[in-house]
Amino acid sequence: MAHAARIPFFQLAPKAFQSLLTLSGAVRKDLLGHRLYDLVLLRVSQINGCAYCMDMHWRDLVKQDVDVRHLNALAGWREAPFFTERERAALAWAEIVTAIPNREPSDEEFAKLKVQFSDEEIAELGFTIAVINAWNLLNVSFRNPVPEKA
């Protein structure tokens, strides 16, 4: 079902929109790795049902020559053999943080993350998860449509 955008939020709140764009650009993709960064963005967007962001980040991963089988299995990453331990730790943390309204991350879950990531990387991952959640909430609530052509 196609929806028309409710309001052009990016035009109506240009300063806030630009600030969120700036925050998105400030995350250190080089520190996390581009594939990992985009896998997290895609997975959180899947959880939040943001078709606009799913489309964008799927295309970004395809441009990186990520095997489409890996992308198709992302929602089932726990059972799929395509993901490294580092990616699995990041995906688990992304799901946990995105679920914060319903549950708090445990010390045990955080300890598992620390096995794979430095404190600096965890901070960058946290901002990555926070910013994609913000974009997802805006795009879904205002029905930002997926472009017909990429």
Side-chain angles (χ1 to χ4, degrees), residues 19-49:
S19 294
L20 192 53
L21 277 176
T22 300
L23 177 58
S24 294
V27 174
R28 295 209 34 221
K29 298 173 194 83
D30 62 316
L31 185 64
L32 296 174
H34 290 274
R35 173 186 156 109
L36 175 64
Y37 172 81
D38 282 313
L39 285 172
V40 167
L41 297 180
L42 179 55
R43 182 64 191 124
V44 172
S45 298
Q46 289 173 335
I47 293 165
N48 290 327

PDB file of all heavy atoms in Angstrom, residues 19-49:
ATOM      1  N   SER A  19      20.445  19.420  11.343  1.00  0.00           N
ATOM      2  CA  SER A  19      21.188  18.953  12.517  1.00  0.00           C
ATOM      3  C   SER A  19      21.231  17.428  12.581  1.00  0.00           C
ATOM      4  O   SER A  19      22.267  16.838  12.921  1.00  0.00           O
ATOM      5  CB  SER A  19      20.571  19.510  13.801  1.00  0.00           C
ATOM      6  OG  SER A  19      20.734  20.908  13.837  1.00  0.00           O
ATOM      7  N   LEU A  20      20.118  16.777  12.242  1.00  0.00           N
ATOM      8  CA  LEU A  20      20.098  15.317  12.233  1.00  0.00           C
ATOM      9  C   LEU A  20      20.984  14.776  11.107  1.00  0.00           C
ATOM     10  O   LEU A  20      21.688  13.782  11.290  1.00  0.00           O
ATOM     11  CB  LEU A  20      18.662  14.794  12.112  1.00  0.00           C
ATOM     12  CG  LEU A  20      18.444  13.311  12.368  1.00  0.00           C
ATOM     13  CD1 LEU A  20      19.022  12.864  13.719  1.00  0.00           C
ATOM     14  CD2 LEU A  20      16.971  12.971  12.289  1.00  0.00           C
ATOM     15  N   LEU A  21      20.978  15.452   9.961  1.00  0.00           N
ATOM     16  CA  LEU A  21      21.889  15.072   8.879  1.00  0.00           C
ATOM     17  C   LEU A  21      23.343  15.204   9.324  1.00  0.00           C
ATOM     18  O   LEU A  21      24.171  14.330   9.037  1.00  0.00           O
ATOM     19  CB  LEU A  21      21.663  15.958   7.648  1.00  0.00           C
ATOM     20  CG  LEU A  21      20.546  15.597   6.706  1.00  0.00           C
ATOM     21  CD1 LEU A  21      20.429  16.649   5.603  1.00  0.00           C
ATOM     22  CD2 LEU A  21      20.752  14.221   6.099  1.00  0.00           C
ATOM     23  N   THR A  22      23.651  16.287  10.028  1.00  0.00           N
ATOM     24  CA  THR A  22      25.005  16.509  10.523  1.00  0.00           C
ATOM     25  C   THR A  22      25.400  15.408  11.501  1.00  0.00           C
ATOM     26  O   THR A  22      26.514  14.874  11.432  1.00  0.00           O
ATOM     27  CB  THR A  22      25.124  17.899  11.171  1.00  0.00           C
ATOM     28  OG1 THR A  22      24.816  18.889  10.172  1.00  0.00           O
ATOM     29  CG2 THR A  22      26.514  18.149  11.717  1.00  0.00           C
ATOM     30  N   LEU A  23      24.506  15.054  12.408  1.00  0.00           N
ATOM     31  CA  LEU A  23      24.781  13.967  13.348  1.00  0.00           C
ATOM     32  C   LEU A  23      25.012  12.662  12.597  1.00  0.00           C
ATOM     33  O   LEU A  23      25.946  11.918  12.902  1.00  0.00           O
ATOM     34  CB  LEU A  23      23.634  13.810  14.351  1.00  0.00           C
ATOM     35  CG  LEU A  23      23.766  12.657  15.347  1.00  0.00           C
ATOM     36  CD1 LEU A  23      25.043  12.775  16.176  1.00  0.00           C
ATOM     37  CD2 LEU A  23      22.545  12.601  16.250  1.00  0.00           C
ATOM     38  N   SER A  24      24.190  12.379  11.597  1.00  0.00           N
ATOM     39  CA  SER A  24      24.367  11.164  10.794  1.00  0.00           C
ATOM     40  C   SER A  24      25.755  11.128  10.156  1.00  0.00           C
ATOM     41  O   SER A  24      26.410  10.087  10.129  1.00  0.00           O
ATOM     42  CB  SER A  24      23.308  11.087   9.690  1.00  0.00           C
ATOM     43  OG  SER A  24      22.033  10.939  10.223  1.00  0.00           O
ATOM     44  N   GLY A  25      26.183  12.262   9.659  1.00  0.00           N
ATOM     45  CA  GLY A  25      27.493  12.346   9.015  1.00  0.00           C
ATOM     46  C   GLY A  25      28.662  12.310   9.984  1.00  0.00           C
ATOM     47  O   GLY A  25      29.796  12.043   9.586  1.00  0.00           O
ATOM     48  N   ALA A  26      28.385  12.564  11.251  1.00  0.00           N
ATOM     49  CA  ALA A  26      29.455  12.607  12.252  1.00  0.00           C
ATOM     50  C   ALA A  26      29.841  11.224  12.766  1.00  0.00           C
ATOM     51  O   ALA A  26      30.928  11.048  13.331  1.00  0.00           O
ATOM     52  CB  ALA A  26      29.031  13.497  13.425  1.00  0.00           C
ATOM     53  N   VAL A  27      28.989  10.232  12.576  1.00  0.00           N
ATOM     54  CA  VAL A  27      29.295   8.881  13.045  1.00  0.00           C
ATOM     55  C   VAL A  27      30.476   8.348  12.241  1.00  0.00           C
ATOM     56  O   VAL A  27      30.530   8.485  11.021  1.00  0.00           O
ATOM     57  CB  VAL A  27      28.068   7.955  12.892  1.00  0.00           C
ATOM     58  CG1 VAL A  27      28.426   6.527  13.249  1.00  0.00           C
ATOM     59  CG2 VAL A  27      26.922   8.440  13.758  1.00  0.00           C
ATOM     60  N   ARG A  28      31.418   7.741  12.944  1.00  0.00           N
ATOM     61  CA  ARG A  28      32.648   7.256  12.319  1.00  0.00           C
ATOM     62  C   ARG A  28      32.449   5.883  11.687  1.00  0.00           C
ATOM     63  O   ARG A  28      32.720   4.858  12.292  1.00  0.00           O
ATOM     64  CB  ARG A  28      33.771   7.223  13.340  1.00  0.00           C
ATOM     65  CG  ARG A  28      34.113   8.617  13.819  1.00  0.00           C
ATOM     66  CD  ARG A  28      35.527   8.815  14.248  1.00  0.00           C
ATOM     67  NE  ARG A  28      36.515   8.053  13.523  1.00  0.00           N
ATOM     68  CZ  ARG A  28      37.539   7.470  14.129  1.00  0.00           C
ATOM     69  NH1 ARG A  28      37.693   7.526  15.424  1.00  0.00           N
ATOM     70  NH2 ARG A  28      38.430   6.810  13.418  1.00  0.00           N
ATOM     71  N   LYS A  29      31.986   5.901  10.438  1.00  0.00           N
ATOM     72  CA  LYS A  29      31.796   4.657   9.699  1.00  0.00           C
ATOM     73  C   LYS A  29      33.122   3.916   9.544  1.00  0.00           C
ATOM     74  O   LYS A  29      33.164   2.690   9.538  1.00  0.00           O
ATOM     75  CB  LYS A  29      31.208   4.948   8.329  1.00  0.00           C
ATOM     76  CG  LYS A  29      29.843   5.586   8.365  1.00  0.00           C
ATOM     77  CD  LYS A  29      29.414   5.990   6.954  1.00  0.00           C
ATOM     78  CE  LYS A  29      28.243   6.902   6.977  1.00  0.00           C
ATOM     79  NZ  LYS A  29      28.559   8.290   7.184  1.00  0.00           N
ATOM     80  N   ASP A  30      34.208   4.672   9.415  1.00  0.00           N
ATOM     81  CA  ASP A  30      35.523   4.051   9.248  1.00  0.00           C
ATOM     82  C   ASP A  30      35.920   3.254  10.492  1.00  0.00           C
ATOM     83  O   ASP A  30      36.566   2.218  10.394  1.00  0.00           O
ATOM     84  CB  ASP A  30      36.579   5.102   8.934  1.00  0.00           C
ATOM     85  CG  ASP A  30      36.746   6.134  10.050  1.00  0.00           C
ATOM     86  OD1 ASP A  30      35.732   6.608  10.588  1.00  0.00           O
ATOM     87  OD2 ASP A  30      37.904   6.467  10.379  1.00  0.00           O
ATOM     88  N   LEU A  31      35.520   3.710  11.653  1.00  0.00           N
ATOM     89  CA  LEU A  31      35.849   3.013  12.898  1.00  0.00           C
ATOM     90  C   LEU A  31      35.060   1.707  13.014  1.00  0.00           C
ATOM     91  O   LEU A  31      35.600   0.676  13.409  1.00  0.00           O
ATOM     92  CB  LEU A  31      35.558   3.917  14.100  1.00  0.00           C
ATOM     93  CG  LEU A  31      35.957   3.388  15.471  1.00  0.00           C
ATOM     94  CD1 LEU A  31      37.472   3.222  15.555  1.00  0.00           C
ATOM     95  CD2 LEU A  31      35.481   4.329  16.560  1.00  0.00           C
ATOM     96  N   LEU A  32      33.793   1.756  12.656  1.00  0.00           N
ATOM     97  CA  LEU A  32      32.940   0.563  12.742  1.00  0.00           C
ATOM     98  C   LEU A  32      33.088  -0.350  11.531  1.00  0.00           C
ATOM     99  O   LEU A  32      32.868  -1.553  11.634  1.00  0.00           O
ATOM    100  CB  LEU A  32      31.471   0.977  12.877  1.00  0.00           C
ATOM    101  CG  LEU A  32      31.105   1.739  14.140  1.00  0.00           C
ATOM    102  CD1 LEU A  32      29.666   2.213  14.078  1.00  0.00           C
ATOM    103  CD2 LEU A  32      31.355   0.894  15.379  1.00  0.00           C
ATOM    104  N   GLY A  33      33.440   0.216  10.411  1.00  0.00           N
ATOM    105  CA  GLY A  33      33.452  -0.504   9.135  1.00  0.00           C
ATOM    106  C   GLY A  33      32.157  -0.221   8.402  1.00  0.00           C
ATOM    107  O   GLY A  33      31.083  -0.249   8.998  1.00  0.00           O
ATOM    108  N   HIS A  34      32.270   0.070   7.121  1.00  0.00           N
ATOM    109  CA  HIS A  34      31.091   0.476   6.348  1.00  0.00           C
ATOM    110  C   HIS A  34      30.030  -0.621   6.280  1.00  0.00           C
ATOM    111  O   HIS A  34      28.838  -0.340   6.410  1.00  0.00           O
ATOM    112  CB  HIS A  34      31.494   0.920   4.939  1.00  0.00           C
ATOM    113  CG  HIS A  34      32.236   2.218   4.945  1.00  0.00           C
ATOM    114  ND1 HIS A  34      31.598   3.428   4.929  1.00  0.00           N
ATOM    115  CD2 HIS A  34      33.559   2.487   5.008  1.00  0.00           C
ATOM    116  CE1 HIS A  34      32.499   4.400   4.970  1.00  0.00           C
ATOM    117  NE2 HIS A  34      33.695   3.845   5.016  1.00  0.00           N
ATOM    118  N   ARG A  35      30.438  -1.870   6.081  1.00  0.00           N
ATOM    119  CA  ARG A  35      29.456  -2.961   6.010  1.00  0.00           C
ATOM    120  C   ARG A  35      28.703  -3.077   7.331  1.00  0.00           C
ATOM    121  O   ARG A  35      27.474  -3.138   7.344  1.00  0.00           O
ATOM    122  CB  ARG A  35      30.158  -4.281   5.679  1.00  0.00           C
ATOM    123  CG  ARG A  35      29.227  -5.500   5.751  1.00  0.00           C
ATOM    124  CD  ARG A  35      30.003  -6.812   5.554  1.00  0.00           C
ATOM    125  NE  ARG A  35      29.312  -7.936   6.147  1.00  0.00           N
ATOM    126  CZ  ARG A  35      28.709  -8.899   5.454  1.00  0.00           C
ATOM    127  NH1 ARG A  35      28.710  -8.872   4.139  1.00  0.00           N
ATOM    128  NH2 ARG A  35      28.126  -9.901   6.091  1.00  0.00           N
ATOM    129  N   LEU A  36      29.445  -3.099   8.435  1.00  0.00           N
ATOM    130  CA  LEU A  36      28.807  -3.222   9.754  1.00  0.00           C
ATOM    131  C   LEU A  36      27.866  -2.052  10.010  1.00  0.00           C
ATOM    132  O   LEU A  36      26.727  -2.242  10.453  1.00  0.00           O
ATOM    133  CB  LEU A  36      29.871  -3.299  10.847  1.00  0.00           C
ATOM    134  CG  LEU A  36      29.341  -3.297  12.280  1.00  0.00           C
ATOM    135  CD1 LEU A  36      28.498  -4.521  12.546  1.00  0.00           C
ATOM    136  CD2 LEU A  36      30.491  -3.207  13.257  1.00  0.00           C
ATOM    137  N   TYR A  37      28.330  -0.855   9.731  1.00  0.00           N
ATOM    138  CA  TYR A  37      27.518   0.354   9.914  1.00  0.00           C
ATOM    139  C   TYR A  37      26.189   0.218   9.165  1.00  0.00           C
ATOM    140  O   TYR A  37      25.118   0.406   9.735  1.00  0.00           O
ATOM    141  CB  TYR A  37      28.320   1.563   9.427  1.00  0.00           C
ATOM    142  CG  TYR A  37      27.549   2.848   9.372  1.00  0.00           C
ATOM    143  CD1 TYR A  37      27.342   3.605  10.517  1.00  0.00           C
ATOM    144  CD2 TYR A  37      27.043   3.332   8.164  1.00  0.00           C
ATOM    145  CE1 TYR A  37      26.642   4.798  10.466  1.00  0.00           C
ATOM    146  CE2 TYR A  37      26.351   4.514   8.108  1.00  0.00           C
ATOM    147  CZ  TYR A  37      26.147   5.243   9.256  1.00  0.00           C
ATOM    148  OH  TYR A  37      25.449   6.429   9.200  1.00  0.00           O
ATOM    149  N   ASP A  38      26.258  -0.139   7.890  1.00  0.00           N
ATOM    150  CA  ASP A  38      25.036  -0.225   7.088  1.00  0.00           C
ATOM    151  C   ASP A  38      24.173  -1.425   7.459  1.00  0.00           C
ATOM    152  O   ASP A  38      22.946  -1.362   7.358  1.00  0.00           O
ATOM    153  CB  ASP A  38      25.366  -0.219   5.598  1.00  0.00           C
ATOM    154  CG  ASP A  38      25.683   1.183   5.094  1.00  0.00           C
ATOM    155  OD1 ASP A  38      24.915   2.108   5.414  1.00  0.00           O
ATOM    156  OD2 ASP A  38      26.688   1.353   4.384  1.00  0.00           O
ATOM    157  N   LEU A  39      24.786  -2.525   7.899  1.00  0.00           N
ATOM    158  CA  LEU A  39      23.981  -3.657   8.383  1.00  0.00           C
ATOM    159  C   LEU A  39      23.151  -3.246   9.596  1.00  0.00           C
ATOM    160  O   LEU A  39      21.974  -3.596   9.705  1.00  0.00           O
ATOM    161  CB  LEU A  39      24.874  -4.843   8.741  1.00  0.00           C
ATOM    162  CG  LEU A  39      25.456  -5.648   7.581  1.00  0.00           C
ATOM    163  CD1 LEU A  39      26.467  -6.670   8.101  1.00  0.00           C
ATOM    164  CD2 LEU A  39      24.361  -6.335   6.766  1.00  0.00           C
ATOM    165  N   VAL A  40      23.754  -2.488  10.497  1.00  0.00           N
ATOM    166  CA  VAL A  40      23.029  -2.009  11.679  1.00  0.00           C
ATOM    167  C   VAL A  40      21.894  -1.082  11.257  1.00  0.00           C
ATOM    168  O   VAL A  40      20.760  -1.207  11.744  1.00  0.00           O
ATOM    169  CB  VAL A  40      23.987  -1.324  12.675  1.00  0.00           C
ATOM    170  CG1 VAL A  40      23.223  -0.553  13.743  1.00  0.00           C
ATOM    171  CG2 VAL A  40      24.913  -2.358  13.309  1.00  0.00           C
ATOM    172  N   LEU A  41      22.169  -0.172  10.328  1.00  0.00           N
ATOM    173  CA  LEU A  41      21.118   0.745   9.862  1.00  0.00           C
ATOM    174  C   LEU A  41      19.963  -0.026   9.223  1.00  0.00           C
ATOM    175  O   LEU A  41      18.788   0.270   9.482  1.00  0.00           O
ATOM    176  CB  LEU A  41      21.691   1.753   8.862  1.00  0.00           C
ATOM    177  CG  LEU A  41      22.772   2.702   9.377  1.00  0.00           C
ATOM    178  CD1 LEU A  41      23.221   3.640   8.260  1.00  0.00           C
ATOM    179  CD2 LEU A  41      22.308   3.492  10.583  1.00  0.00           C
ATOM    180  N   LEU A  42      20.303  -1.014   8.422  1.00  0.00           N
ATOM    181  CA  LEU A  42      19.256  -1.801   7.770  1.00  0.00           C
ATOM    182  C   LEU A  42      18.470  -2.616   8.785  1.00  0.00           C
ATOM    183  O   LEU A  42      17.235  -2.653   8.739  1.00  0.00           O
ATOM    184  CB  LEU A  42      19.874  -2.712   6.701  1.00  0.00           C
ATOM    185  CG  LEU A  42      18.906  -3.617   5.940  1.00  0.00           C
ATOM    186  CD1 LEU A  42      17.771  -2.827   5.284  1.00  0.00           C
ATOM    187  CD2 LEU A  42      19.672  -4.435   4.911  1.00  0.00           C
ATOM    188  N   ARG A  43      19.155  -3.251   9.728  1.00  0.00           N
ATOM    189  CA  ARG A  43      18.444  -4.095  10.705  1.00  0.00           C
ATOM    190  C   ARG A  43      17.510  -3.273  11.583  1.00  0.00           C
ATOM    191  O   ARG A  43      16.363  -3.668  11.816  1.00  0.00           O
ATOM    192  CB  ARG A  43      19.447  -4.877  11.570  1.00  0.00           C
ATOM    193  CG  ARG A  43      18.783  -5.790  12.569  1.00  0.00           C
ATOM    194  CD  ARG A  43      17.975  -6.887  11.879  1.00  0.00           C
ATOM    195  NE  ARG A  43      17.139  -7.599  12.832  1.00  0.00           N
ATOM    196  CZ  ARG A  43      15.815  -7.730  12.719  1.00  0.00           C
ATOM    197  NH1 ARG A  43      15.156  -7.245  11.686  1.00  0.00           N
ATOM    198  NH2 ARG A  43      15.135  -8.372  13.644  1.00  0.00           N
ATOM    199  N   VAL A  44      17.973  -2.137  12.078  1.00  0.00           N
ATOM    200  CA  VAL A  44      17.107  -1.292  12.914  1.00  0.00           C
ATOM    201  C   VAL A  44      15.914  -0.801  12.091  1.00  0.00           C
ATOM    202  O   VAL A  44      14.785  -0.775  12.584  1.00  0.00           O
ATOM    203  CB  VAL A  44      17.895  -0.128  13.540  1.00  0.00           C
ATOM    204  CG1 VAL A  44      16.967   0.862  14.239  1.00  0.00           C
ATOM    205  CG2 VAL A  44      18.943  -0.660  14.518  1.00  0.00           C
ATOM    206  N   SER A  45      16.148  -0.464  10.846  1.00  0.00           N
ATOM    207  CA  SER A  45      15.056  -0.012   9.976  1.00  0.00           C
ATOM    208  C   SER A  45      14.041  -1.128   9.744  1.00  0.00           C
ATOM    209  O   SER A  45      12.840  -0.876   9.665  1.00  0.00           O
ATOM    210  CB  SER A  45      15.608   0.500   8.651  1.00  0.00           C
ATOM    211  OG  SER A  45      16.444   1.620   8.872  1.00  0.00           O
ATOM    212  N   GLN A  46      14.523  -2.373   9.634  1.00  0.00           N
ATOM    213  CA  GLN A  46      13.605  -3.510   9.516  1.00  0.00           C
ATOM    214  C   GLN A  46      12.738  -3.619  10.764  1.00  0.00           C
ATOM    215  O   GLN A  46      11.517  -3.811  10.668  1.00  0.00           O
ATOM    216  CB  GLN A  46      14.387  -4.815   9.330  1.00  0.00           C
ATOM    217  CG  GLN A  46      15.050  -4.972   7.991  1.00  0.00           C
ATOM    218  CD  GLN A  46      15.940  -6.209   7.936  1.00  0.00           C
ATOM    219  OE1 GLN A  46      16.427  -6.697   8.955  1.00  0.00           O
ATOM    220  NE2 GLN A  46      16.157  -6.714   6.725  1.00  0.00           N
ATOM    221  N   ILE A  47      13.357  -3.513  11.920  1.00  0.00           N
ATOM    222  CA  ILE A  47      12.618  -3.622  13.184  1.00  0.00           C
ATOM    223  C   ILE A  47      11.547  -2.544  13.280  1.00  0.00           C
ATOM    224  O   ILE A  47      10.420  -2.803  13.695  1.00  0.00           O
ATOM    225  CB  ILE A  47      13.583  -3.515  14.382  1.00  0.00           C
ATOM    226  CG1 ILE A  47      14.505  -4.735  14.428  1.00  0.00           C
ATOM    227  CG2 ILE A  47      12.814  -3.360  15.698  1.00  0.00           C
ATOM    228  CD1 ILE A  47      15.703  -4.551  15.337  1.00  0.00           C
ATOM    229  N   ASN A  48      11.911  -1.330  12.878  1.00  0.00           N
ATOM    230  CA  ASN A  48      10.990  -0.199  12.990  1.00  0.00           C
ATOM    231  C   ASN A  48      10.021  -0.087  11.816  1.00  0.00           C
ATOM    232  O   ASN A  48       9.148   0.781  11.819  1.00  0.00           O
ATOM    233  CB  ASN A  48      11.776   1.104  13.128  1.00  0.00           C
ATOM    234  CG  ASN A  48      12.465   1.212  14.467  1.00  0.00           C
ATOM    235  OD1 ASN A  48      11.959   0.725  15.480  1.00  0.00           O
ATOM    236  ND2 ASN A  48      13.626   1.855  14.488  1.00  0.00           N
ATOM    237  N   GLY A  49      10.167  -0.948  10.820  1.00  0.00           N
ATOM    238  CA  GLY A  49       9.253  -0.926   9.681  1.00  0.00           C
ATOM    239  C   GLY A  49       9.399   0.301   8.808  1.00  0.00           C
ATOM    240  O   GLY A  49       8.418   0.758   8.218  1.00  0.00           O
TER     241      GLY A  49
END
